[in-house]
Amino acid sequence: MSTALNPGAMQPFALTLNRFIDHAAKWHAGAEVITGAGAGAGTRITYAALRERSRRLSGALQAIGLARGDNLGVLAWNSQAHMECWYGAVGVGIVCHTLNPRLATAHLAAMISQAANRVLAISPDLAPLAETLAPLCPSLQHIVMLEEPGAEMALPDCGNAQVWRYEDLLAERGAPVEWGGFDEYAPAGLCFTSGTTGAPKGVTYTHRSNYLHTLHQTQTDTGGLSGRDTVLAAVPMFHANGWGLPFSAPAVGANLVFPGRYQDGASLTRLIRDEQVTVAAGVPTVWLGLCDHLDRVGGDVPSLRRIMVGGSPIPQALMDRLERRLDVTVQTSWGMTELSPLGTTTPATAPVRSAAKSGRPPIGVDLLLTDVEGAPLPEQRGHEGRLHVRGASVVERYFGHDEPAVDADGWFDTGDLAIVDETGNVSITGRAKDLIKSGGEWINPQEIEAIVGALPEVAQVAVIGRAHEKWGERPILVIEPRKGVEIGDEALRDALRARVASWWLPDAIVRVATMPLAATGKIDKMRLRDDHG
């Protein structure tokens, strides 16, 4: 007779995101979250106190009608209040839907409507935007005006939507509630890809995916954070999870510093010095501003040891300048919204410092190079191919889509071209699509082309990217005017101003007698880039 032994088991410990702030509150009581206010006085709060305020916000959100699985819209800069929104939502299974204030109003309205947001939390200086959005988003029932240091509070007129001051909402409805008690595969976050390939596509992060992403990021050769660090999150929290820093900093007990709306060189210098920041993260243009400021006024930031850059490629000259002027190590990286966003990172201890290298993937992220048809390259080293990725923190299906975003083997096509060298370091060599990345944010040429192409004075139009020292790339508008018709530069820009974000406006306008065409009859953008890019 068989006498099989009981195989044993481990505890059913759900990987939910509230556990990060629970851990920090219990075991890192002295660590703080600091929010800067430019030249004014900022705020600071311990993780334990932030946890209690977030639990009260959870109760308030439930009191005004949000339930597990609903989406909370957050349109805000990096701040303590923004972080409380994250944990107040995810602690009770509400999905935190981050929104980028820099997008055009039409894009924001489309995202809010698609997510059926009934509650929108918004930074106080964005009150005019709330007034514009409210009539475009009939699902909105409550607008919560967050309170941030250095910002004046003006309650907007949002029609039928009830407007709350954040502190009033906590005082009147904020009975603390218990967190957790739901499945780790439940949705936790929603971030749209900004409409760069047509309609905006939403990426849904689960508790499990973000939990595992945090473990990826805290590995020594990736983010490498510890309880001895003070981390400056200059990357916006609405930019692909804020690169995961609002999760990874409390996970290790690091102090977390938010700059609020103030990312100019003087404000960042003051914040780094006052808080003794050791690690900072953000797009290259932020650190260019910091460096320019120090060159003008003198001085340094001696506590700073590492800068993690991403969002857009960093020029080698800027990387060298930052390392020399600030006496820091620059860590390059590559990622995207669909990856939560971590794809690859160069270790701080890498012996070769190259801006062209994006590093290796952490455990839990796998990469594959294919040809244009999607077939794996026979040699995965030393040959350019289309970059595919899969892993526990990689999108499988976009929000609201029925079809998967991956192939039969689970590989997600990033749309990037890349080469992997013999040591496993990835270099992104280009993009399969014509999107323009400016200051870490995407610009969709097709939207600009559609607007300008509708003008009767324009025969053909194309938008290309031109390399820019500060922003990485900037859009250039190329038009073929209708014969015998003239249209001025300002008339072209005026047609765009009401339809796209201001930073989408082209830096230059080029007129050609005849638009170059490829063999297929399409506009030859490669030729345009050669001639004008």
Side-chain angles (χ1 to χ4, degrees):
M1 178 181 293
S2 173
T3 57
L5 295 177
N6 187 317
M10 304 303 287
Q11 296 182 15
F13 185 90
L15 305 182
T16 54
L17 297 176
N18 55 285
R19 296 193 185 278
F20 294 133
I21 203 76
D22 289 343
H23 173 83
K26 184 174 183 179
W27 299 109
H28 298 279
E32 295 180 315
V33 175
I34 299 102
T35 303
T43 62
R44 62 183 62 245
I45 188 172
T46 64
Y47 282 120
L50 187 143
R51 177 182 182 273
E52 288 311 302
R53 285 175 58 84
S54 299
R55 288 179 61 231
R56 290 174 57 202
L57 179 59
S58 296
L61 294 176
Q62 291 179 336
I64 61 175
L66 291 189
R68 186 177 300 174
D70 288 337
N71 296 315
L72 167 68
V74 184
L75 187 65
W77 312 114
N78 288 14
S79 68
Q80 171 191 324
H82 194 163
M83 190 168 179
E84 290 173 4
C85 286
W86 278 35
Y87 282 99
V90 302
V92 290
I94 295 170
V95 181
C96 187
H97 173 201
T98 52
L99 293 152
N100 184 347
R102 299 186 182 120
L103 293 179
T105 303
H107 282 171
L108 290 170
M111 294 171 186
I112 290 170
S113 297
Q114 187 178 347
N117 295 136
R118 299 202 306 278
V119 180
L120 177 67
I122 189 167
S123 287
D125 64 311
L126 300 175
L129 181 56
E131 291 185 343
T132 303
L133 283 171
L136 302 176
C137 305
S139 65
L140 288 177
Q141 299 172 1
H142 299 271
I143 308 292
V144 180
M145 302 303 298
L146 303 177
E147 299 192 17
E148 297 174 356
E152 295 184 2
M153 176 70 72
L155 296 184
D157 180 1
C158 293
N160 294 328
Q162 183 174 359
V163 179
W164 296 85
R165 293 177 184 269
Y166 181 59
E167 294 299 331
D168 291 345
L169 177 63
L170 288 184
E172 294 179 27
R173 304 292 182 92
V177 297
E178 292 301 315
W179 282 345
F182 47 85
D183 191 272
E184 64 184 27
Y185 284 93
L190 176 63
C191 183
F192 280 79
T193 58
S194 305
T196 52
T197 56
K201 289 185 288 188
V203 178
T204 302
Y205 308 115
T206 67
H207 283 262
R208 182 178 187 272
S209 73
N210 274 164
Y211 197 107
L212 294 176
H213 181 273
T214 303
L215 300 186
H216 301 162
Q217 190 185 48
T218 52
Q219 293 173 30
T220 300
D221 283 346
T222 309
L225 302 180
S226 80
R228 298 180 297 278
D229 283 314
T230 295
V231 183
L232 172 63
V235 56
M237 293 171 69
F238 54 74
H239 193 167
N241 275 329
W243 297 358
L245 293 173
F247 300 134
S248 57
V252 300
N255 293 319
L256 183 58
V257 180
F258 292 131
R261 296 170 293 142
Y262 307 96
Q263 295 206 25
D264 58 283
S267 296
L268 291 179
T269 298
R270 186 180 305 108
L271 204 53
I272 292 170
R273 289 173 176 168
D274 289 350
E275 302 303 331
Q276 293 293 288
V277 169
T278 58
V279 180
V283 297
T285 52
V286 170
W287 313 122
L288 176 61
L290 173 65
C291 215
D292 285 345
H293 171 75
L294 291 174
D295 282 349
R296 286 194 303 271
V297 303
D300 52 20
V301 282
S303 66
L304 192 61
R305 295 185 289 102
R306 284 192 291 132
I307 291 178
M308 295 185 286
V309 297
S312 62
I314 182 171
Q316 184 68 51
L318 177 56
M319 179 174 169
D320 293 342
R321 180 185 174 196
L322 292 177
E323 293 196 333
R324 182 176 60 252
R325 178 63 181 83
L326 304 179
D327 191 24
V328 299
T329 297
V330 172
Q331 284 183 265
T332 53
S333 66
W334 164 81
M336 55 196 309
T337 303
E338 288 89 341
L339 311 189
S340 302
L342 176 61
T344 63
T345 308
T346 300
T349 56
V352 178
R353 317 298 304 157
S354 172
K357 303 291 185 183
S358 299
R360 302 185 184 93
I363 181 68
V365 178
D366 198 10
L367 307 179
L368 177 73
L369 295 179
T370 75
D371 60 20
V372 293
E373 303 299 329
L377 297 183
E379 292 291 335
Q380 291 285 307
R381 297 289 192 269
H383 297 275
E384 185 181 67
R386 288 183 69 106
L387 183 59
H388 293 65
V389 62
R390 67 181 178 187
S393 54
V394 178
V395 69
E396 180 184 51
R397 192 184 310 270
Y398 287 108
F399 177 74
H401 287 213
D402 294 326
E403 295 299 317
V406 298
D407 66 17
D409 295 318
W411 291 106
F412 172 72
D413 184 354
T414 67
D416 283 323
L417 303 175
I419 292 176
V420 182
D421 67 19
E422 293 303 319
T423 65
N425 281 289
V426 176
S427 295
I428 304 299
T429 56
R431 290 186 292 279
K433 298 174 182 176
D434 292 326
L435 302 178
I436 298 168
K437 207 166 197 179
S438 181
E441 301 285 349
W442 290 107
I443 295 174
N444 185 357
Q446 288 186 335
E447 290 198 29
I448 299 175
E449 291 164 356
I451 295 168
V452 175
L455 298 175
E457 300 89 347
V458 176
Q460 295 198 78
V461 57
V463 175
I464 59 172
R466 176 182 289 174
H468 192 282
E469 181 180 357
K470 180 176 181 180
W471 302 113
E473 285 184 308
R474 291 295 300 149
I476 304 300
L477 177 64
V478 183
I479 67 164
E480 178 187 331
R482 286 188 179 274
K483 296 196 183 305
V485 177
E486 294 183 359
I487 182 169
D489 288 1
E490 276 309 297
L492 291 165
R493 290 194 173 96
D494 285 342
L496 293 169
R497 282 192 177 97
R499 304 280 298 280
V500 302
S502 60
W503 52 274
W504 280 36
L505 296 179
D507 275 15
I509 297 174
V510 176
R511 290 168 174 77
V512 296
T514 304
M515 191 72 72
L517 302 179
T520 59
K522 296 181 180 179
I523 293 175
D524 189 347
K525 287 195 172 182
M526 185 176 296
R527 170 82 177 276
L528 288 177
R529 291 189 188 98
D530 289 341
D531 292 344
H532 308 290

